[in-house]
Amino acid sequence: MRGPGRWWRRKTTPEKVETYTRWSFHSFAMVELATVGLTVAPVGARLGGLLLLMVAAHSAVCLVTVSRALDWTRGRRPQPVRLLWTVAAVTIAVSATAFGIVEHGPDGESVDGAAGGAVGVALIVGVGIIALGIRQRRHVFAVVGGFAAGAWIVPVAGGSPADTAFLAAAMVLMGGGLIAFTAVISVWLLNIVYELDEARETRTRLAVAEERLRFGRDLHDVMGRNLAVIALKSELAVQLAQRGRPEAVAQMVEVQRLAHESQREVREVVRGYREADLGTELAGAQGVLAAAGIDCTVSGATAAGLPVAVQSALGWVVREAATNVLRHGDARRCAVRLRVVEGCVVLSVENDGVVTEAANGLSGASSSSGSSASSGSGLAGLRERLAEIDGTLEAGPAERGLFRLTAEIPLPSPAAPSGPAAPSGTASVAAVRSVSEVTP
């Protein structure tokens, strides 16, 4: 999907918050320039042009300082100390120029109002921008108090009434303090958002690590005992063979049987068929997503009573869908629904926060074939698994920015056997073994 908002949709939540914060403080500098530009006309062309030029320079320095200060906050640049001093110097210069216009420029209430407004706006915006580049709170208080004190001392020293100077200082103190407080809170919230996003990624990695540990425990349970027995029987067969005892052949036959049994059980663990049903996979997916900070709800029919083959296939669907929710996009909610409709069981997984490119890639994966499909990974592999039991799989973007995965499997008729039929090769091997056992 292309459009003016594509660059915004591609941003993560912390990046969106940072962009909003950055442009909010950029707007303060632009508002300063617009305010002074609209009120400077009564000052005159010469003095007004000078004041407007200085305010424009102040706004430009503030714009650059905002970007550098926020980059410093995120650890991308060093602290912009020189720029902070530059903002302070230009702020003082603008204020001094405007105060000089009030004292020595054209007479008139409109001139005093325009120049006084330029002083107030420059001081208030300058204090707020400087606060962005300061980490210590007491330094922020010192900056706000220092500029407010200067807004009172300079007019009084220049002969202005004390009450007027006090009113100007109070305005600078309140306005500058408000913007400085906004700057401090904005930086704090921005850092909190990034930390929460990092914590969410950490929870996701921990959830994946926990799943790997579970898989490792299952694999150890399968292989540990069999390998120990194989080692013992192999040692016994070696000792019997060294003594010329015929029992060594029987021991090696048992070793061969255990090796084949271990191979079969390992395949079952890898494929997710070992003592796993749909209910277990639904609970596991809900726990993993909850650990990653995603609200996952499971509704609809229960998995109890479904054929083993159907539960195994849908269990794979749930596992792959949960993996996609964790890996792609920035999901906050996920809904899993299981239904039995007209002799078919339908499983749907729907989540939000899908990036357009990721959704397109997943949709393509559901209809493409390749090495991943043959290895049983990805949506293409799920499609092939479901096709073995006449099932179908659909995946793609849905309405309102959602991504939906739907698997549909027809239920076997009551006359059909409940379990999957054994392959012909397995039946042939079993028959040969039976004949060899009864043959003297």
Side-chain angles (χ1 to χ4, degrees):
M1 182 177 180
R2 299 182 181 274
R6 182 185 178 189
W7 68 275
W8 177 261
R9 289 191 295 270
R10 295 182 62 180
K11 291 180 177 293
T12 62
T13 299
E15 291 173 346
K16 291 179 180 178
V17 175
E18 181 179 353
T19 301
Y20 175 80
T21 303
R22 190 180 299 272
W23 283 103
S24 296
F25 284 94
H26 282 167
S27 67
F28 291 158
M30 300 305 296
V31 168
E32 174 194 8
L33 181 60
T35 302
V36 176
L38 293 175
T39 59
V40 79
V43 179
R46 185 178 178 182
L47 293 179
L50 176 62
L51 183 60
L52 185 60
L53 181 62
M54 295 187 68
V55 170
H58 184 264
S59 298
V61 174
C62 288
L63 289 175
V64 176
T65 305
V66 167
S67 297
R68 298 295 178 86
L70 289 177
D71 288 342
W72 165 70
T73 299
R74 296 305 312 144
R76 304 181 189 125
R77 292 177 181 268
Q79 186 178 15
V81 179
R82 293 183 179 179
L83 275 175
L84 296 179
W85 282 108
T86 302
V87 171
V90 177
T91 302
I92 294 173
V94 172
S95 302
T97 302
F99 181 74
I101 292 174
V102 172
E103 293 295 326
H104 306 288
D107 295 332
E109 185 176 350
S110 60
V111 175
D112 295 343
V119 172
V121 172
L123 287 174
I124 291 173
V125 173
V127 169
I129 300 303
I130 292 174
L132 276 178
I134 300 177
R135 193 181 303 275
Q136 298 295 329
R137 301 293 178 263
R138 62 176 182 272
H139 294 166
V140 176
F141 295 148
V143 169
V144 175
F147 275 93
W152 180 78
I153 294 173
V154 172
V156 170
S160 298
D163 55 348
T164 303
F166 178 79
L167 180 61
M171 293 179 60
V172 172
L173 181 64
M174 290 186 295
L178 179 61
I179 297 186
F181 176 78
T182 302
V184 172
I185 293 298
S186 298
V187 171
W188 178 71
L189 289 176
L190 180 61
N191 291 331
I192 288 295
V193 170
Y194 271 102
E195 290 176 2
L196 289 176
D197 187 68
E198 293 174 359
R200 177 179 176 273
E201 293 180 358
T202 301
R203 287 196 300 268
T204 302
R205 290 194 295 267
L206 290 176
V208 174
E210 183 180 357
E211 180 64 18
R212 289 176 178 173
L213 289 176
R214 186 191 68 82
F215 178 81
R217 289 192 298 267
D218 289 348
L219 192 61
H220 177 270
D221 294 340
V222 169
M223 296 298 296
R225 179 185 61 83
N226 289 350
L227 288 178
V229 176
I230 288 174
L232 290 175
K233 287 187 172 294
S234 299
E235 293 177 3
L236 178 58
V238 170
Q239 295 179 3
L240 292 174
Q242 289 175 349
R243 299 175 184 177
R245 300 285 297 272
E247 291 86 350
V249 177
Q251 295 298 327
M252 290 308 299
V253 170
E254 183 65 15
V255 168
Q256 184 181 20
R257 186 190 67 79
L258 289 173
H260 286 302
E261 182 69 16
S262 300
Q263 185 180 15
R264 181 187 62 80
E265 291 182 348
V266 168
R267 283 198 299 266
E268 291 177 352
V269 171
V270 173
R271 293 176 182 175
Y273 294 148
R274 178 179 178 267
E275 296 180 359
D277 56 7
L278 180 57
T280 302
E281 293 299 331
L282 288 173
Q286 191 172 21
V288 169
L289 294 178
I294 301 173
D295 182 17
C296 180
T297 59
V298 179
S299 61
T302 61
L306 294 178
V308 176
V310 174
Q311 289 201 37
S312 298
L314 293 181
W316 262 107
V317 173
V318 171
R319 181 175 298 183
E320 183 66 23
T323 302
N324 287 337
V325 172
L326 289 174
R327 289 181 178 176
H328 303 289
D330 188 17
R332 289 292 179 268
R333 293 181 299 275
C334 179
V336 183
R337 186 180 182 187
L338 182 66
R339 297 173 295 161
V340 178
V341 182
E342 297 181 355
C344 293
V345 56
V346 180
L347 175 71
S348 61
V349 182
E350 188 175 270
N351 64 277
D352 62 353
V354 177
V355 181
T356 304
E357 285 77 5
N360 292 336
L362 290 176
S363 301
S366 65
S367 59
S368 63
S369 60
S371 58
S372 62
S374 60
S375 60
S377 61
L379 299 182
L382 289 180
R383 181 179 289 273
E384 292 188 359
R385 290 179 182 274
L386 293 178
E388 294 178 357
I389 53 176
D390 298 329
T392 59
L393 178 70
E394 295 181 359
E399 68 278 0
R400 301 187 303 276
L402 302 176
F403 186 85
R404 181 180 300 140
L405 184 147
T406 304
E408 183 175 345
I409 301 176
L411 293 174
S413 59
S418 58
S424 58
T426 305
S428 301
V429 173
V432 170
R433 287 182 177 175
S434 300
V435 171
S436 61
E437 290 175 359
V438 300
T439 303

